[in-house]
Amino acid sequence: MSEQRRHLRLPLESRTFIELVSPQLGTRGTGRLVTCQTLNISRGGLQVALGDAVTVGAILQISVELPTEEQPLYLAGEVRWCRYNDLDAELRWLAGFKLLNAESTDIGRWVELIADMER
């Protein structure tokens, strides 16, 4: 497996929410939100442990609660990989996300915070 990482990975466990299914446009219905945990983070991505498998290539909304921030950061990420995790009975899946430079997200603040952590 070739090394394709561009950014330093920082170990960090924090509560994260991922919207697996969005509500239908124009309805008041709720989507499907799952709670998971980050394992490591970088300027350009994050790895999470979660209870459900995610589809590789899917673009999902992510909310990350960082210990240094009062409010969660809202991000958009593409699922780059997903594999079974037999080490945890509740969080049975590991997934890697590439964070996207999307409008209406906190990606700028995320990059600033991670750059500070790297120092």
Side-chain angles (χ1 to χ4, degrees), residues 34-99:
V34 296
T35 304
C36 52
Q37 182 175 19
T38 61
L39 301 176
N40 65 60
I41 60 175
S42 75
R43 293 183 199 193
L46 52 100
Q47 179 184 357
V48 299
L50 65 164
D52 299 89
V54 288
T55 303
V56 173
I59 307 295
L60 301 174
Q61 300 298 315
I62 304 167
S63 172
V64 181
E65 295 178 349
L66 291 178
T68 58
E69 297 297 294
E70 291 184 23
Q71 298 294 319
L73 296 175
Y74 297 98
L75 306 164
E78 177 187 359
V79 180
R80 299 302 295 241
W81 57 268
C82 182
R83 66 176 171 256
Y84 185 73
N85 174 27
D86 58 3
L87 301 177
D88 190 315
E90 290 182 36
L91 303 174
R92 293 202 173 268
W93 295 91
L94 300 175
F97 286 84
K98 176 184 177 186
L99 297 177

